[in-house]
Amino acid sequence: MLETFDGAVVVVTGGASGIGRGIALEAARRGAKVAIADLHAERMAATAAELEALGGEVLAVRCDVTSDADVDALRDAVIERFGHVDLLCNNAGVPVLGPVERVDMADWQWILDVNVLGIVRGVRAFVPAMLERGKGHVLNTASVAGIWAYSWDAAPYITSKFAAYGLSEAMARRLHPHGVGVSVLCPGLVTTNLGENVRVSGVPAEQAGDWVWFPPEMLDPVDAEDVGPMVADAVLGGRVAIFTHANDEVIYKEWRRDIDASLARAVGDNPAPPVIPPGA
Ligand SMILES: NC(=O)c1ccc[n+]([C@@H]2O[C@H](COP(=O)([O-])OP(=O)(O)OC[C@H]3O[C@@H](n4cnc5c(N)ncnc54)[C@H](O)[C@@H]3O)[C@@H](O)[C@H]2O)c1
């Protein structure tokens, strides 16, 4: 479990932008040595410069979390530079939206490779040494979409995030007895660059704009930089499930308490998704 950020070694995938950048900056402000890993070279250089300006030690590594070799090389680079890892944040993620019966298989494979197997690769690379040391902490970024099927527009994203959430609970069962903490971040809407990577799949181009729908409960974005302090406090407090919006914890409990009633209400209250005729 993590007791302090001061002097700790923190690794953040997807650390160049958005929520990952927010976590990295807050860790550095609290005295951590920070490694960020990302695909976006320009943003990674800019974030690394911000981290350096905070006075701490910084490592920036180009890493595609869909590559076993890249994630292993990230681990090796961090160990060579800092010696060990105290907090691994498996945070890189991408969104795929679209009608579940039409989303391309290649897009299903892409989102599961990044959002689920990207976490698995991080765990395989970094957790053995944490178990050996009998300490360390892993934070996986899921989403409120990992605990609540909030819309009809995003089955691939929701599937990947439920997997990330379930994996995290299973990891907690496995690792907590050995002194390794596990947390799962379930953000609601956060202002980031996530939309740049969105794929609307299986929808004719002229209808892509109809295929994004958020329920009113979700339309209250928080700033990505405000997520960093929330995460840092929650990890130090030993929280497993971490929410950015207080109401999401309530939604989670309500949604799960009676899933049949919750789904019936959601289908009744929300607009029906468009139907796309075969061949369109
Ligand atoms: N923004 C939101 O509202 C929101 C809500 C819930 C969960 N999330 C999750 O938060 C995490 C961070 O997303 P964000 O909103 O900060 O978006 P973002 O796009 O600003 O940041 C994500 C970063 O991940 C990087 N990335 C994408 N694919 C990668 C890969 N294969 N290998 C390495 N890096 C890769 C991107 O280059 C980007 O810098 C994601 O897992 C996302 O699903 C976001």
Side-chain angles (χ1 to χ4, degrees):
M1 315 285 172
L2 193 73
E3 280 162 15
T4 176
F5 279 86
D6 197 14
V9 178
V10 176
V11 179
V12 188
T13 70
S17 172
I19 292 168
R21 171 179 167 274
I23 294 171
L25 287 172
E26 184 61 16
R29 276 185 210 107
R30 295 181 185 213
K33 301 167 191 170
V34 180
I36 53 171
D38 208 292
L39 280 177
H40 198 298
E42 209 175 300
R43 287 203 182 117
M44 190 153 65
T47 301
E50 289 179 288
L51 290 165
E52 272 156 16
L54 290 168
E57 287 186 63
V58 181
L59 179 66
V61 179
R62 190 209 172 272
C63 170
D64 182 344
V65 300
T66 69
S67 158
D68 297 358
D70 275 17
V71 178
D72 286 351
L74 169 66
R75 185 242 354 253
D76 293 346
V78 175
I79 296 301
E80 191 185 329
R81 176 74 183 275
F82 296 132
H84 67 274
V85 174
D86 295 295
L87 172 63
L88 167 68
C89 302
N90 289 308
N91 168 78
V94 291
V96 174
L97 313 179
V100 65
E101 72 283 6
R102 293 176 54 106
V103 168
D104 290 347
M105 285 309 293
D107 293 327
W108 273 107
Q109 274 157 356
W110 179 60
I111 192 169
L112 295 175
D113 207 7
V114 179
N115 292 7
V116 184
L117 296 182
I119 297 177
V120 172
R121 289 185 187 93
V123 171
R124 287 174 57 85
F126 287 89
V127 167
M130 290 182 177
L131 282 171
E132 229 179 341
R133 292 179 77 217
K135 60 180 179 178
H137 200 107
V138 182
L139 172 90
N140 298 326
T141 303
S143 169
V144 70
I147 53 167
W148 174 40
Y150 66 93
S151 173
W152 39 257
D153 70 354
Y157 189 67
I158 289 167
T159 302
S160 74
K161 293 302 186 180
F162 264 70
Y165 183 85
L167 169 62
S168 306
E169 276 196 5
M171 283 172 57
R173 293 291 300 266
R174 162 81 178 103
L175 300 178
H176 280 188
H178 296 286
V180 176
V182 178
S183 298
V184 55
L185 175 60
C186 300
L189 203 56
V190 182
T191 308
T192 69
N193 296 307
L194 191 67
E196 283 179 15
N197 281 328
V198 73
R199 290 189 190 175
V200 182
S201 182
V203 180
E206 68 279 7
Q207 291 181 35
D210 301 337
W211 211 270
V212 182
W213 182 79
F214 288 102
E217 299 95 305
M218 277 188 82
L219 295 177
D220 179 21
V222 304
D223 198 84
E225 282 211 36
D226 293 337
V227 176
M230 293 180 201
V231 167
D233 288 343
V235 166
L236 291 178
R239 289 296 301 266
V240 176
I242 304 172
F243 298 90
T244 56
H245 295 60
N247 195 39
D248 289 347
E249 197 159 359
V250 176
I251 288 172
Y252 170 42
K253 287 175 181 155
E254 274 300 301
W255 180 257
R256 288 272 152 249
R257 198 173 52 79
D258 183 346
I259 191 64
D260 295 277
S262 301
L263 277 168
R265 216 170 26 246
V267 170
D269 290 351
N270 295 330
V275 173
I276 302 171

